[in-house]
Amino acid sequence: MPATRPIYLDHHATTPVDPRVVEQMLPYFTEHFGNAASRQHAFGWKADEAVERARHQVARLIGARAKEVVFTSGATEANTLAIRGALAARHEHGAHVVTVATEHKVVLDVCHTVAADGGRVTIVPVERDGRVDPVRVAAAIAPDTVLVSVMTANNEIGVIHPVSEVSTVCRARGVWLHTDGVQAAGHVPFDVEALGVDLASFSAHKMYGPKGVGALYVRRAPKVTIVPQTVGGGQEQGLRAGTLNVPGIVGFGAAAAIARDLIATEGPRVAALRDRLLAGLTRALEAVTVNGSRSARLPHNLHVSFAGVDGEALMTGLADHVAVSSGSACASGSREPSHVMTALGAGAVERWGALRFGLGRGTTAADIDAAVTHVAACVTRLRAMSPVGVGGSQ
Ligand SMILES: *Cc1c(COP(=O)(O)O)cnc(C)c1O
């Protein structure tokens, strides 16, 4: 790392743990180390009590009942449990799943395993603004469809999908709806009833909680059944076997409670900083394109392309000053163009430098102004070196 820390603008990849969250977690590593499944003594009761408090806190953030929250090791596991679990539960009905081209890799890869196991998958494209059209989802639903999976907000371009409209379509056809709510929950209002979802996945470390803990919401009324993907301990109402990560769960609950308190003020604050960032970049540079809907978008996300700039070179040039990403943390490192950008129909995507900015609670106006200066200098330098030029890459 350079002498001064780079400005962190990669909050879609992960967020720092809130110190208040850490404080609440600490006693559950040492003093209250009990196994939440130990029903015979006070150590177990203490741990179980803390887990149930956290379950209420997470439920409250998402408008669910505590019994509908199943703790997992993160959203990767929650997504897997939702999709594979729902398909297994309704195998006599069919094995067709409908999802969207810009979903997180986890959802797309799990859907591919469904197809490999003899099921069917339909991948619905997105419109030019990065949102899925519910009419296209309706058209993809067939008599053997069991599940539709549409993320609430995209982790690369920050676009918010019309999930409640997709829900209307799903309910009319008797199909369950799952949403990957990781990027939305704790950042914008998220309510399972308002959205009309049957299953929803969450991750603590995307909302200032610890890594390695998440949750799956499983609707009770009308009842949604899923088949567990791990067995052996009967924890989490038999839906997810394995000793509970008590400190992690406590941290998730604390993070959910804090996020709920902050949404109304943090949302507008980061949105104003995001707008300042875009204004600064467009003032300093020509040929800056915003990817994805400008309005249906997370308040802390900006995703832009700079014509005539190599994305890899841009990232390398910025690394000492600004921590940003070209897209998903999971897909970066490969030189493949992002599947999200490809789905947007972004032309000649490999010749365009795209940057994802994810602002956070610690981001200040001074950070934004410094980031603008660094990005503008880097883009200008790379364009001067580019054999293609701004016009040639269109
Ligand atoms: C980070 C992320 C995941 C994976 O969550 P983990 O808890 O890290 O497994 C899934 N979906 C989306 C949209 C994400 O951003």
Side-chain angles (χ1 to χ4, degrees), residues 12 73-76 79 104 106 151 153 155 180 182-183 203 205-206:
H12 299 293
S73 64
T76 299
N79 282 337
H104 192 275
V106 177
M151 71 199 322
N155 51 297
D180 177 335
V182 170
Q183 294 288 341
S203 180
H205 77 96
K206 305 287 176 81

Side-chain angles (χ1 to χ4, degrees), residues 5 17 26 72 87 96-99 108 115 167 170 292 310 334 357 370:
R5 285 209 318 172
V17 183
L26 287 176
T72 65
L87 282 159
H96 181 225
V97 52
V98 175
T99 190
L108 293 174
S167 167
C170 291
D310 176 68
S334 73
F357 296 93

Side-chain angles (χ1 to χ4, degrees), residues 11-366:
H11 289 83
H12 299 293
T14 195
T15 57
V17 183
D18 188 304
R20 293 167 287 181
V21 169
V22 176
E23 201 181 308
Q24 292 193 47
M25 290 171 69
L26 287 176
Y28 291 91
F29 287 103
T30 50
E31 196 184 343
H32 309 307
F33 60 85
N35 185 326
S38 298
R39 306 275 176 213
Q40 305 80 1
H41 52 68
F43 295 87
W45 301 333
K46 187 78 192 171
D48 180 59
E49 213 176 272
V51 167
E52 292 316 309
R53 194 180 322 118
R55 202 185 301 283
H56 277 92
Q57 288 169 316
V58 172
R60 204 149 172 242
L61 177 70
I62 62 167
R65 286 177 292 170
K67 275 188 199 152
E68 297 174 311
V69 173
V70 174
F71 286 117
T72 65
S73 64
T76 299
E77 187 189 349
N79 282 337
T80 307
L81 177 57
I83 297 167
R84 293 196 69 84
L87 282 159
R90 295 190 72 187
H91 64 92
E92 74 295 334
H93 177 86
H96 181 225
V97 52
V98 175
T99 190
V100 182
T102 55
E103 288 295 310
H104 192 275
K105 274 282 177 209
V106 177
V107 168
L108 293 174
D109 285 353
V110 172
C111 286
H112 290 141
T113 69
V114 168
D117 290 350
R120 290 202 309 125
V121 179
T122 301
I123 314 265
V124 178
V126 293
E127 306 307 305
R128 287 299 305 226
D129 68 354
R131 300 179 88 211
V132 71
D133 182 347
V135 172
R136 287 195 197 256
V137 175
I141 294 174
D144 61 337
T145 308
V146 168
L147 186 75
V148 169
S149 183
V150 176
M151 71 199 322
T152 315
N154 185 270
N155 51 297
E156 286 188 35
I157 56 175
V159 157
I160 299 173
H161 286 293
V163 175
S164 64
E165 292 167 45
V166 172
S167 167
T168 306
V169 162
C170 291
R171 290 199 168 163
R173 306 284 291 274
V175 173
W176 288 335
L177 175 59
H178 165 254
T179 195
D180 177 335
V182 170
Q183 294 288 341
H187 299 277
V188 290
F190 186 104
D191 186 283
V192 292
E193 297 303 335
L195 293 172
V197 294
D198 302 298
L199 296 154
S201 307
F202 306 98
S203 180
H205 77 96
K206 305 287 176 81
M207 55 167 99
Y208 304 89
K211 293 167 184 62
V213 58
L216 179 66
Y217 158 78
V218 185
R219 179 173 290 282
R220 280 292 186 106
K223 190 164 173 58
V224 168
T225 46
I226 53 167
V227 171
Q229 303 297 301
T230 47
V231 291
Q235 290 92 345
E236 297 297 277
Q237 305 163 66
L239 294 179
R240 197 271 183 181
T243 302
L244 291 182
N245 171 6
V246 177
I249 289 168
V250 167
F252 188 10
I258 294 169
R260 188 172 176 274
D261 286 343
L262 286 183
I263 276 181
T265 51
E266 257 310 278
R269 192 190 74 86
V270 286
L273 289 178
R274 186 265 316 274
D275 295 346
R276 181 185 181 111
L277 174 61
L278 178 60
L281 292 174
T282 50
R283 209 178 300 122
L285 297 163
E286 58 179 281
V288 178
T289 313
V290 177
N291 300 307
S293 169
R294 293 282 290 271
S295 50
R297 187 180 206 105
L298 291 171
H300 57 302
N301 174 281
L302 180 67
H303 195 286
V304 284
S305 289
F306 303 97
V309 170
D310 176 68
E312 210 72 15
L314 184 55
M315 214 70 54
T316 312
L318 284 174
D320 281 353
H321 308 288
V322 191
V324 281
S325 143
S326 56
S328 168
C330 320
S332 55
S334 73
R335 280 200 71 109
E336 293 283 294
S338 138
H339 72 283
V340 175
M341 292 295 285
T342 306
L344 274 185
V349 74
E350 54 289 318
R351 286 191 284 130
W352 284 62
L355 287 187
R356 173 185 71 176
F357 296 93
L359 284 62
R361 279 183 202 160
T363 309
T364 64

